[in-house]
Amino acid sequence: ISVILGANGSGKTLLTKVILGLVNLEKGRVEVHSKKKIKLGYSPQKITFLRRNVFDNIAFPMILDGSQRSMIKKSVNSLLKKFGIFEIKQLSARNLSGGLGQFVSFVRSIVREPEVLILDEPSSNLDINLKNRMEDYLISQRCKKKIIMVTHDLFQAQRLADEIILIENGIILMKLSKKEFIK
């Protein structure tokens, strides 16, 4: 798990968008060391939901992939149960509270079982219960996928990070192991 830390406006969100290919670089490059196309999961800081229910919003990335309906239903229902939000699956995603909406966005980011998961401030509005569910999942996946997470929460960075990247004014100042950062 790589955690990106920096002050507001330092370029954390921009860096995630560059990694995702949503923003082109004027100079420099992003290198991916893989011979195959990598499946990405992304939960942005500013969430956008379709005018549909929670189930359909979580299912949307699988629909775009052309997954079979039976697989979509099985995967989404499994995640809804796993994360304890099955009872809200028919609610309008756009009418959820900020924290619950953010959590649904997180669940949507993992529905495709991505190899690389990019999370931009994924827990800033979450209550402790939802935050713990998300963090437990991330810890369980740290050896199975690359996780890149932007946060302002230093304690969360210490709990989750294997490496911490400090950024300021769009420049990566340093990349440290968690032990080096704590020192």
Side-chain angles (χ1 to χ4, degrees):
I1 299 175
S2 298
V3 172
I4 303 170
L5 292 173
N8 288 338
S10 62
K12 301 179 302 295
T13 295
L14 181 60
L15 178 58
T16 63
K17 289 180 179 182
V18 167
I19 293 168
L20 288 161
L22 299 174
V23 172
N24 293 322
L25 290 171
E26 290 178 19
K27 56 184 173 180
R29 67 181 182 270
V30 173
E31 290 184 13
V32 177
H33 299 282
S34 177
K35 295 187 189 304
K36 63 182 179 90
K37 188 174 180 182
I38 295 173
K39 200 182 315 181
L40 296 171
Y42 176 52
S43 182
Q45 186 175 10
K46 293 180 182 172
I47 302 159
T48 303
F49 286 123
L50 303 169
R51 288 188 182 121
R52 298 181 185 150
N53 62 31
V54 168
F55 181 96
D56 290 339
N57 271 275
I58 292 173
F60 191 65
M62 292 184 77
I63 293 168
L64 290 177
D65 281 349
S67 299
Q68 295 178 353
R69 287 184 187 196
S70 60
M71 180 56 96
I72 293 170
K73 186 175 180 180
K74 180 180 175 186
S75 296
V76 174
N77 282 327
S78 174
L79 286 174
L80 289 166
K81 289 174 186 170
K82 176 179 181 159
F83 288 107
I85 56 172
F86 188 81
E87 68 281 353
I88 68 163
K89 76 179 198 172
Q90 293 303 323
L91 296 180
S92 167
R94 289 185 168 191
N95 292 333
L96 297 174
S97 68
L100 198 49
Q102 191 169 32
F103 192 71
V104 167
S105 176
F106 163 72
V107 174
R108 178 174 59 185
S109 74
I110 64 173
V111 72
R112 297 175 58 230
E113 298 179 9
E115 297 152 294
V116 176
L117 181 60
I118 300 175
L119 306 169
D120 192 355
E121 296 285 351
S123 63
S124 60
N125 293 317
L126 300 185
D127 65 30
I128 193 70
N129 185 26
L130 295 177
K131 186 183 235 182
N132 287 340
R133 288 183 211 173
M134 183 196 70
E135 288 186 4
D136 289 346
Y137 172 82
L138 296 176
I139 289 167
S140 76
Q141 298 296 305
R142 74 176 345 128
C143 295
K144 299 175 185 172
K145 62 181 79 209
K146 178 64 182 171
I147 300 167
I148 300 169
M149 185 171 85
V150 171
T151 185
H152 283 101
D153 186 338
L154 294 175
F155 296 111
Q156 184 177 55
Q158 288 180 353
R159 283 191 305 275
L160 299 177
D162 296 303
E163 70 177 354
I164 296 175
I165 299 164
L166 298 174
I167 188 169
E168 183 179 301
N169 296 322
I171 298 169
I172 295 174
L173 298 177
M174 52 182 100
K175 185 171 104 173
L176 307 163
S177 70
K178 179 167 49 175
K179 285 182 181 181
E180 292 170 321
F181 179 77
I182 292 171
K183 283 182 185 178

